[in-house]
């Protein structure tokens, strides 16, 4: 007499890198929806379908090491959001980069808030450096899109970094406001904020003014700058007496 035996799942031993990636993916998923201090190694082990000792085997530093590694992975993803081909109007490039950035925020909402607000009890100088590295990388990408013939001056650098700070703040407020307004509207508004900030700096800084002139030459009437001009000009039309 024979008995029917159901199919068994083929077991495949994962390489070190594959196992680490599996654990980091599980950790990122948990950190995306819960504050880091609320996630335990047992939670990560359960999410990855492994034992707690196995997590310790790959991350002997425990939760702190795992969190920093997961944060580094998330930071790498965020940095790539601003990697964009240097082709077409600057505002179009920024719009595509912001689309990717906001998609990340949307997917990792709670974890993103904990990351930027620095509210985690396991925050260290290393985690702070990782987050600051994302900001500096974003600024470097944006400045590279300006194709400057010389190194950016302090006013232009400050303007770009101020805008990145505004993007972060708007993202946190958007999460706090139940993800309103819609993502496409938020993206357009952030691009318009960039245009407004860089235009204001152009009035004081010749280098930024040259950037604005080059950028405007590539813009079209139906693009973000054209739409912004049509909305703003009627508002300031009666300000001629200030000139």
């Amino acid at each position: 007499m024979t008995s029917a035996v159901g199919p068994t799942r083929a077991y495949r031993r994962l390489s070190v890198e594959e196992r680490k990636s599996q654990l980091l993916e599980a950790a990122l998923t948990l950190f995306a929806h819960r504050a880091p201090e609320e996630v335990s190694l047992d939670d990560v082990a359960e999410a990855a379908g492994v034992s707690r000792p196995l997590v310790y085997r790959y991350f002997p530093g425990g939760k702190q090491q795992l969190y920093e590694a997961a944060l580094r992975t998330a930071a790498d993803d965020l940095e790539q959001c601003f990697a964009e081909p240097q082709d077409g109007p600057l505002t179009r490039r920024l719009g595509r980069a912001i689309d990717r950035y906001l998609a990340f925020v949307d997917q990792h909402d709670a974890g993103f808030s904990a990351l930027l607000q620095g509210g985690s009890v396991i925050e260290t100088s290393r985690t702070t450096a990782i987050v600051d590295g994302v900001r500096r990388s974003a600024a470097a990408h944006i400045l590279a899109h300006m194709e400057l013939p010389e190194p950016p001056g302090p006013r232009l650098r400050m303007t770009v970094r101020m805008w990145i700070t505004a993007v972060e703040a708007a993202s946190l407020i958007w999460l706090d406001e139940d993800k309103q307004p819609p993502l496409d509207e938020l993206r357009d508004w952030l691009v318009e904020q960039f245009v407004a900030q860089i235009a204001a700096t152009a009035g004081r800084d010749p280098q930024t003014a040259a950037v604005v002139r080059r950028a405007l030459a590539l813009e079209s009437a139906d693009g973000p700058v054209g739409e912004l001009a049509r909305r703003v000009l009627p508002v300031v039309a009666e300000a001629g007496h200030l000139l």
Side-chain angles (χ1 to χ4, degrees), residues 9-239:
R9 181 184 300 175
Y11 177 78
R12 184 173 70 90
R13 184 181 296 276
L14 299 180
S15 69
V16 172
E17 290 306 313
E18 287 175 328
R19 181 66 74 188
K20 279 188 175 180
S21 296
Q22 178 198 30
L23 295 175
L24 287 173
E25 182 179 353
L28 277 173
T29 300
L30 292 170
F31 291 139
H33 300 96
R34 291 154 59 183
E37 58 267 28
E38 296 176 358
V39 177
S40 69
L41 287 182
D42 286 331
D43 294 330
V44 176
E46 182 180 356
V50 300
S51 66
R52 178 189 175 97
L54 185 63
V55 178
Y56 265 113
R57 176 182 172 185
Y58 286 89
F59 297 95
K63 179 177 173 179
Q64 183 65 44
Q65 183 185 9
L66 178 58
Y67 175 66
E68 290 177 8
L71 184 59
R72 178 68 268 172
T73 299
D76 290 342
D77 290 342
L78 271 175
E79 289 177 5
Q80 289 305 308
C81 289
F82 289 91
E84 178 71 24
Q86 294 183 339
D87 182 49
L90 179 58
T91 55
R92 297 291 191 188
R93 304 182 208 175
L94 282 179
R96 290 191 291 268
I98 289 297
D99 272 338
R100 291 191 291 271
Y101 182 89
L102 293 177
F104 183 95
V105 173
D106 190 23
Q107 182 181 356
H108 299 82
D109 43 20
F112 180 84
S113 296
L115 168 65
L116 288 190
Q117 290 174 332
S120 172
V121 296
I122 58 177
E123 180 187 17
T124 66
S125 59
R126 293 189 298 275
T127 60
T128 300
I130 291 172
V131 176
D132 190 57
V134 174
R135 298 176 180 128
R136 293 183 181 277
S137 177
H141 277 298
I142 294 169
L143 289 168
H145 283 295
M146 296 178 181
E147 303 179 46
L148 300 168
E150 69 282 330
R155 292 180 179 83
L156 182 54
R157 289 199 308 271
M158 184 177 292
T159 300
V160 171
R161 294 183 68 180
M162 286 169 58
W163 179 72
I164 291 170
T165 300
V167 171
E168 290 182 358
S171 300
L172 291 172
I173 294 170
W174 180 73
L175 292 174
D176 194 50
E177 293 289 338
D178 296 323
K179 299 186 177 181
Q180 291 296 323
L183 277 175
D184 57 345
E185 183 179 335
L186 178 60
R187 174 205 61 217
D188 293 345
W189 182 79
L190 289 172
V191 172
E192 290 168 357
Q193 289 292 313
F194 178 83
V195 173
Q197 285 184 236
I198 200 170
T201 303
R204 293 177 175 268
D205 181 47
Q207 183 186 50
T208 306
V211 169
V212 170
R213 292 190 186 97
R214 288 196 300 271
L216 289 178
L218 296 176
E219 295 289 338
S220 60
D222 61 346
V225 177
E227 294 177 5
L228 178 62
R230 286 190 292 275
R231 288 199 301 272
V232 172
L233 288 178
V235 177
V236 299
E238 299 180 3

